């Protein structure tokens, strides 16, 4: 047993490192380090740099312009990206809808949609959840009724992350009311500019409208935008979900954050003439987080090793989701603790790109509470941690 | 042994409950938070009329008795409604400091105007390097004849924006960690050399960074003896700490109640989510946390009202703040989690209560700090 990379993998790691060090724009790195929210343009700019290099789509097969990397290479790439703080591609196009189009879409759909996703020309958002269909997603009600060569869509979706930027939305819609709920769902691609669509922002507790409600009022969608067969959408979405939950542990991000935390602790006074980095109980809490991160890292590597020999992703991804998100939240708490009174200011605008006032500091300490608030979402979305535990109970423990 | 409320306490509780029910719903709170002042002057006057601003003061000082138990009864209700009015700053923190330190003449002028709701005060004591140690003070007070010059920087000054006057803790002698040598000065907010940078806080209040640049005050503005303010500062922050612990308990109870209610109405998988045992046990744990928090806050309030030694009181206060800190994490985070997405939004009061308890955890030192202080005493 060993967890070493091969010589080729190490060389690849070196190549990735070198690329990121030279090509990840300094202004974006500065923003990430200062907790400034990246704009749509920032994210697209970075994606296009990756595209030029041929690295825009690590998880895609080469035939569609992906890297064709092995799982280990993808892991190495994601790790190096996370360590330097480079933003991952916005997942909705690259990681969520593209694999569905590749697997179940028609040749025409592949040609129409995939190149623009690869080049980051088109921004996608995910339209699954509804006000009354959250954990119980299959009970969704937004309906699509076939009329001639198009569908008429009515209903509403909610929690659409960054839907305010989106050009297209991929939706699960109800096309049959008369069968078991999972069997009457279809997968439909909808242009956000279609008449009858309206978007209403939802402000979260950190003050930023990160999510939206999207309303559909007699929206005419060409039938050619249906993926695969009518009423098979649930199956398509489910297959995708298990794949989507790899690389979700956030280990690299955790490492980067803990490094920043240690640095901050050394620069934070304990009130009694010493830095917090010498406070025994705070040191213990950092150590606990690091140890948890190690356990998580090796759990992820074990999953990776088993996937690499061809096993299908299973409920292991639930472990990574639960532990990864809860550990990220723990680390946020440590930042909050260090900030003390400096966490109190509620000036969300100062972490936006166009803020031109005098920031309330010191440094980014005032971001710590906002991040702590915002990241409560981690254990709610992507299948809540309760739902993940249910999956472990059912699929692993046979309960 | 008797844990029941006295008639006065019962009346206070009823009054606050009625006020909140009638006049302080979520929408009203939001409009107050968004208003220019950041608190309601009209309600402040009402608080004065109802005698609430007199609660922290002894009868000798013209108040209602000054007991900590009275205070927690009222503040728990404030917490439930997520009130933003600067009660802690003006009435409890500055009020107690004045009651402890001021001479007859100073008291005459100040206590009456606090009780009448005529003045807003803010305690400027925390500094960039002091973290949660109130005695870590580098702001200097230099005496020359009758004039004193104050110079230094204060952070996290709650109610700093509305304050007409600051009570400034400054050092007249000693090293930056010494208790001896600290004095308290009453400084007009618009005095020359005072500058403040104000901002909203995460829990809908207002606070400021305040700089004192060669601010000249008269010796008559010193409250108490030269360099002798530390004990009073301890007493004032300890009392206010117990107050915010009670406020927290109220907010946590609100979070619990709203969570339980929500799970009864929110349906997923064809059934109210309250029927999932995984959630039921977590709500049972939230309930336990609230009860333990409430118990230890009562313990601390009774200790403050007792003849205990000063150090015993301080230990009791730290015990309460430490245990309440634990409850804040547990109950606050679970409330959001069990609400799901809707708990993450500005639209719902739950998120605001969560932010309030997070801020209260920080105020006067977080749970971890107080666990250490407890251990060190
Ligand atoms: C910031 C954010 C971004 C999001 N982005 C998107 C997006 O881009 N696109 C999209 O489609 N959706 C998105 N979501 C929606 C997200 O997937 C849902 O919030 C999630 O599925 C939970 O649904 P809900 O909020 O309706 O909570 P509910 O399903 O109502 O759950 C409430 C609580 O009950 C628990 N619960 C539910 N069922 C059970 C059970 N059987 N056993 C035990 N406990 C249970 C849940 O875990 C939760 O704690 C986002 C959500 C958030 C908060």
């Amino acid at each position: 047993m060993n967890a070493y990379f091969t010589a080729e993998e190490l060389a690849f790691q070196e190549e990735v490192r070198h690329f990121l060090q030279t090509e990840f724009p300094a202004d974006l790195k500065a923003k990430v380090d200062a907790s400034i929210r990246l704009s749509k343009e920032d994210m697209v700019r970075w994606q296009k740099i990756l595209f030029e290099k041929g690295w825009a789509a690590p998880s895609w097969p080469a035939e569609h312009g992906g890297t064709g990397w092995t799982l280990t290479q993808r892991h190495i790439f994601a790790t190096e990206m996370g360590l330097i703080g480079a933003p991952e591609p916005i997942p909705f196009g690259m990681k969520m809808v593209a694999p569905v189009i590749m697997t179940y879409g028609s040749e025409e759909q592949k040609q129409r949609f995939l190149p623009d996703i690869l080049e980051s020309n088109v921004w996608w958002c995910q339209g699954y959840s509804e006000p009354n269909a959250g954990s119980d997603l299959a009970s969704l009600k937004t309906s699509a009724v076939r009329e001639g060569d198009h569908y008429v869509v009515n209903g509403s979706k909610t929690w659409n992350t960054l839907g305010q930027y989106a050009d297209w939305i991929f939706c699960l819609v109800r096309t049959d009311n008369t069968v078991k709920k999972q069997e009457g769902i279809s997968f439909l691609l909808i242009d956000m500019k279609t008449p009858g669509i309206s978007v209403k922002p939802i402000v979260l507790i950190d003050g930023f409208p990160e999510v939206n409600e999207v309303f559909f009022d007699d929206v005419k969608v060409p039938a050619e935008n249906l993926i695969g067969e009518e009423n098979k959408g649930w199956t398509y979405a489910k297959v995708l979900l298990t794949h989507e939950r790899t690389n979700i542990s956030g280990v690299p991000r955790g490492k980067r954050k803990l490094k920043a935390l240690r640095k901050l602790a050394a620069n934070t006074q304990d009130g009694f003439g010493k830095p917090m980095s010498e406070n025994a109980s705070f040191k213990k809490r950092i150590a606990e987080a690091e140890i948890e991160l190690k356990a998580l890292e090796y759990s992820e590597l074990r999953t990776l090793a088993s996937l690499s020999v061809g096993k299908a992703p299973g409920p292991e991804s639930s472990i990574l989701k639960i532990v990864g998100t809860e550990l990220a939240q723990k680390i946020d708490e440590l930042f909050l603790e260090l900030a003390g009174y400096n966490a109190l200011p509620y000036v969300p605008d100062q972490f936006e790109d166009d803020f031109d006032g005098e920031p309330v500091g010191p440094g980014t300490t005032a971001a710590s509470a906002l991040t702590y608030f915002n990241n409560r979402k981690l254990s709610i979305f992507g299948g809540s941690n309760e739902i993940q535990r249910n999956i472990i109970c059912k699929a692993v423990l046979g309960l | 042994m008797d844990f029941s409320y006295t008639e006065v306490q019962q009346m206070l509780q009823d009054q606050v409950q009625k006020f909140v029910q009638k006049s302080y719903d979520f929408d009203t709170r939001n409009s107050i938070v968004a208003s220019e002042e950041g608190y309601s002057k009209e309600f402040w006057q009402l608080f004065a009329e109802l005698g609430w601003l007199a609660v922290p003061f002894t009868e000798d000082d013209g108040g209602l008795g000054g007991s900590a138990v009275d205070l927690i009864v009222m503040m728990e209700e404030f917490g439930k409604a997520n009130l933003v009015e600067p009660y802690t700053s003006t009435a409890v923190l500055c009020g107690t400091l004045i009651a402890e330190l001021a001479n007859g003449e100073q008291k005459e002028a100040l206590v009456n105007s606090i009780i009448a709701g005529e003045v807003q005060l803010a305690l400027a004591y925390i500094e960039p390097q002091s973290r949660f140690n109130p005695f870590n003070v580098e702001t200097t007070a230099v005496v020359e004849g009758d004039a004193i010059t104050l110079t230094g920087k204060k952070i996290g000054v709650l109610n700093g924006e509305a304050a007409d006057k600051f009570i400034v803790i400054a050092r007249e002698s000693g090293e930056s960690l010494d208790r001896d040598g600290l004095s308290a000065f009453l400084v007009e907010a618009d005095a020359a050399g005072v500058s403040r940078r104000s901002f909203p806080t995460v829990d809908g209040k207002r606070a400021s960074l305040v700089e004192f640049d060669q601010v000249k005050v008269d010796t008559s503005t010193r409250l108490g003896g030269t360099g002798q303010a530390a004990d009073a500062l301890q007493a004032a922050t300890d009392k206010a700490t117990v107050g915010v612990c009670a406020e927290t308990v109220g907010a946590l109870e609100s979070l619990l109640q709203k969570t339980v209610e929500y799970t009864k109405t929110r349906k997923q998988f064809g059934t109210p989510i309250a029927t999932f045992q995984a959630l039921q046990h977590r709500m049972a744990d939230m309930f336990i946390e609230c009860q333990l928090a409430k118990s230890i806050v009562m313990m601390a309030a009774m200790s403050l009202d007792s003849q205990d030694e000063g150090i015993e009181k301080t230990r009791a206060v730290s015990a309460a703040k430490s245990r309440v800190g634990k409850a804040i994490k547990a109950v606050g985070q679970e409330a959001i989690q069990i609400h799901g997405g809707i708990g993450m939004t500005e639209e719902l009061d739950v998120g605001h209560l969560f932010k309030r308890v997070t801020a209260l955890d920080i105020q006067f030192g977080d749970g971890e700090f107080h666990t250490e202080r407890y251990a060190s005493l």
Side-chain angles (χ1 to χ4, degrees):
Chain A
M1 192 185 298
N2 75 70
Y4 301 134
F5 291 138
T6 64
E8 295 84 66
E9 286 162 350
L10 286 172
F12 175 72
Q13 184 182 47
E14 224 14 79
E15 187 190 355
V16 173
R17 247 176 225 173
H18 177 75
F19 170 78
L20 291 175
Q21 266 153 20
T22 49
E23 301 299 323
F24 181 45
D27 59 322
L28 297 192
K29 173 137 179 60
K31 277 191 188 178
V32 170
D33 290 344
S35 302
I36 307 284
R37 192 184 309 281
L38 295 181
S39 65
K40 177 179 179 177
E41 291 68 33
D42 290 335
M43 291 187 260
V44 170
R45 170 154 67 107
W46 172 229
Q47 278 310 294
K48 288 193 179 274
I49 294 171
L50 288 172
F51 173 74
E52 288 304 317
K53 173 79 180 168
W55 287 359
S59 56
W60 291 19
E63 57 168 310
H64 293 302
T67 56
W69 285 337
T70 64
L71 283 170
T72 306
Q73 282 178 305
R74 282 157 60 179
H75 170 77
I76 289 171
F77 182 69
T79 301
E80 296 303 321
M81 291 264 284
L83 287 176
I84 199 167
E88 293 225 12
I90 293 300
F92 307 112
M94 202 72 81
K95 281 175 94 174
M96 293 184 175
V97 74
V100 173
I101 296 174
M102 276 176 218
T103 318
Y104 304 106
S106 66
E107 207 42 53
E108 209 221 317
Q109 286 169 334
K110 288 180 200 171
Q111 278 170 22
R112 179 168 172 210
F113 295 111
L114 294 180
D116 278 337
I117 294 176
L118 189 65
E119 276 192 60
S120 291
N121 295 331
V122 168
W123 189 291
W124 285 81
C125 72
Q126 180 192 31
Y128 285 7
S129 305
E130 295 181 6
N132 290 311
S135 298
D136 181 15
L137 185 58
S139 66
L140 60 92
K141 290 217 163 59
T142 297
S143 68
V145 178
R146 180 82 185 238
E147 283 180 16
D149 59 359
H150 58 260
Y151 287 94
V152 178
V153 177
N154 277 291
S156 69
K157 293 290 176 182
T158 192
W159 311 123
N160 306 95
T161 298
L162 301 180
Q164 64 265 45
Y165 301 151
D167 307 299
W168 280 76
I169 181 169
F170 57 98
C171 289
L172 290 177
V173 290
R174 183 147 310 278
T175 36
D176 192 343
N177 269 319
T178 62
V179 289
K180 221 179 117 201
K181 58 186 182 179
Q182 287 85 355
E183 288 162 10
I185 293 172
S186 298
F187 199 108
L188 200 58
L189 312 180
I190 305 177
D191 185 338
M192 291 287 280
K193 286 184 289 296
T194 321
I197 295 184
S198 51
V199 178
K200 188 177 152 232
I202 303 175
V203 178
L204 296 185
I205 47 179
D206 65 344
F208 181 69
E210 180 173 320
V211 294
N212 300 270
E213 268 185 281
V214 180
F215 300 94
F216 300 86
D217 182 16
D218 281 335
V219 176
K220 278 173 83 170
V221 181
E224 69 204 38
N225 291 4
L226 178 77
I227 294 286
E229 287 176 49
E230 208 173 79
N231 297 327
K232 288 276 166 61
W234 184 253
T235 320
Y236 304 157
K238 244 180 90 173
V239 168
L240 177 78
L241 277 179
T242 40
H243 283 281
E244 182 197 302
R245 285 190 197 129
T246 51
N247 270 335
I248 50 167
S249 68
V251 168
R253 178 184 171 277
K255 283 186 179 168
R256 186 170 61 86
K257 285 231 145 189
L258 281 177
K259 197 171 147 202
L261 186 74
R262 280 186 179 284
K263 203 169 141 195
L264 194 62
N267 291 314
T268 302
Q269 309 235 27
D270 71 351
F272 299 92
K274 285 197 175 144
M276 282 300 281
S277 52
E278 289 175 29
N279 176 292
S281 88
F282 191 72
K283 270 164 74 175
K284 177 166 175 278
R285 285 192 289 284
I286 297 192
E288 281 167 351
E290 270 184 21
I291 291 164
E292 192 74 353
L293 194 64
K294 272 274 171 261
L296 178 63
E297 182 179 11
Y298 275 73
S299 300
E300 184 171 36
L301 290 174
R302 277 175 61 206
T303 308
L304 186 68
S306 95
L307 290 178
S308 297
V309 296
K311 299 208 177 118
E316 299 90 340
S317 60
S318 294
I319 304 179
L320 304 182
K321 197 295 169 152
I322 293 171
V323 182
T325 54
E326 291 175 6
L327 179 57
Q329 292 171 334
K330 206 21 132 220
I331 295 174
D332 291 337
E333 280 179 33
L334 295 175
F335 275 98
L336 183 65
E337 185 185 341
L338 269 193
Y341 284 104
N342 294 317
L344 286 183
Y346 187 67
V347 191
D349 285 354
Q350 70 176 325
F351 301 106
E352 298 299 331
D353 212 12
D354 49 8
F355 181 73
D356 60 1
E358 174 74 17
V360 189
T364 61
T365 45
S368 62
L370 304 184
T371 307
Y372 169 69
F373 298 147
N374 181 271
N375 276 342
R376 299 316 305 172
K377 73 187 175 191
L378 300 177
S379 47
I380 296 173
F381 68 15
S384 76
N385 288 15
E386 288 72 34
I387 295 300
Q388 303 298 338
R389 285 181 169 89
N390 286 350
I391 293 174
I392 291 177
C393 289
K394 251 201 189 141
V396 186
L397 305 178
L399 300 173
Chain B
M1 194 179 312
D2 179 9
F3 278 79
S4 62
Y5 289 166
T6 63
E7 234 167 82
V8 173
Q9 288 158 359
Q10 192 64 56
M11 184 201 72
L12 271 175
Q13 189 187 36
D14 289 347
Q15 270 185 350
V16 183
Q17 280 175 353
K18 279 207 190 91
F19 161 73
V20 163
Q21 259 167 26
K22 202 170 129 247
S23 315
Y24 215 88
D25 63 11
F26 181 51
D27 289 340
T28 309
R29 178 190 188 266
N30 286 344
S31 59
I32 295 173
V33 168
S35 70
E36 170 140 12
E37 287 83 16
Y39 75 101
S40 163
K41 290 192 166 173
E42 191 193 324
F43 288 158
W44 195 256
Q45 275 316 306
L46 187 69
F47 293 4
E49 279 161 33
L50 292 169
W52 298 352
L53 300 176
V55 167
F57 299 97
T58 61
E59 280 166 18
D60 285 349
D61 285 337
L64 284 185
S67 103
V69 174
D70 292 354
L71 183 68
I72 66 167
V73 169
M74 198 173 51
M75 291 207 59
E76 196 175 311
E77 301 304 323
F78 287 167
K80 283 183 190 159
N82 208 354
L83 214 83
V84 295
E85 277 60 31
Y87 189 83
T88 297
S89 291
T90 298
V92 188
L93 205 47
C94 291
T96 306
L97 211 51
I98 289 163
E100 294 273 334
L101 289 175
N103 60 34
E105 205 175 311
Q106 291 167 326
K107 262 193 197 173
E108 180 93 15
L110 284 166
V111 176
N112 289 341
S113 54
I114 294 175
I115 291 177
E118 292 161 359
V119 68
Q120 286 294 348
L121 302 173
L123 178 62
Y125 71 118
I126 307 149
E127 302 187 355
Q129 81 291 344
S130 56
R131 194 164 168 81
F132 298 131
N133 177 4
F135 309 116
N136 183 335
V137 175
E138 292 178 359
T139 296
T140 53
V142 179
V143 187
E144 269 175 84
D146 254 0
I148 300 176
T149 306
L150 301 175
T151 302
K153 251 189 207 158
K154 300 290 183 177
I155 68 166
V157 183
L158 281 161
N159 201 31
E161 190 177 51
D164 305 302
K165 301 170 202 289
F166 293 109
I167 296 180
V168 183
I169 304 298
R171 182 165 295 289
E172 298 206 55
S173 62
E175 302 293 323
S176 76
L177 296 182
D178 292 348
R179 284 175 75 118
D180 282 344
L182 296 179
S183 297
F185 299 93
L186 192 69
V187 180
E188 296 294 328
D190 58 6
V194 178
S195 56
R196 49 185 151 177
R197 166 86 197 276
S198 298
F199 46 82
T201 62
V202 291
D203 61 336
K205 295 182 181 173
R206 303 285 169 90
S208 312
L209 311 170
V210 188
E211 236 182 293
F212 299 89
D213 182 14
Q214 314 256 342
V215 176
K216 305 272 183 230
V217 294
D218 192 87
T219 44
S220 67
T221 64
R222 188 192 284 118
L223 303 170
T226 305
Q228 299 295 308
D231 288 350
L233 181 61
Q234 177 94 64
T237 50
D238 277 355
K239 188 164 180 180
T241 303
V242 172
V244 301
C245 282
E247 187 181 356
T248 307
V249 168
L252 294 179
E253 284 178 341
S254 235
L255 281 167
L256 169 64
Q257 181 235 328
K258 285 173 197 297
T259 305
V260 170
E261 282 309 311
Y262 182 72
T263 60
K264 289 183 190 165
T265 53
R266 173 67 173 173
K267 286 192 177 148
Q268 289 290 280
F269 304 101
T271 173
I273 59 174
T275 58
F276 301 132
Q277 206 163 50
L279 299 188
Q280 287 177 357
H281 281 193
R282 306 245 300 265
M283 289 187 279
D285 285 339
M286 290 167 74
F287 173 73
I288 293 169
E289 285 295 313
C290 286
Q291 290 303 312
L292 290 188
K294 196 176 169 116
S295 304
I296 204 158
V297 175
M298 287 177 164
M299 179 281 292
M302 288 188 286
S303 171
L304 287 190
D305 288 345
S306 74
Q307 300 305 312
D308 286 353
E309 296 276 321
I311 192 162
E312 282 308 315
K313 294 183 176 179
T314 297
R315 268 169 77 86
V317 171
S318 273
K321 192 69 166 61
S322 160
R323 189 60 190 83
V324 166
K326 248 183 168 171
I328 286 172
K329 295 260 164 60
V331 177
Q333 295 174 357
E334 288 288 41
I336 302 286
Q337 181 68 23
I338 295 175
H339 273 83
I342 194 76
M344 288 290 304
T345 67
E346 281 278 296
E347 284 160 46
L348 204 70
D349 47 6
V350 166
H352 296 268
L353 284 160
F354 173 64
K355 294 200 275 185
R356 164 60 50 85
V357 295
T358 302
L360 291 180
D361 189 19
I362 294 167
Q363 212 179 336
F364 305 120
D366 62 18
E368 301 292 354
F369 169 82
H370 278 282
T371 311
E372 285 180 42
R373 190 175 87 159
Y374 181 90
S376 74
L377 288 171

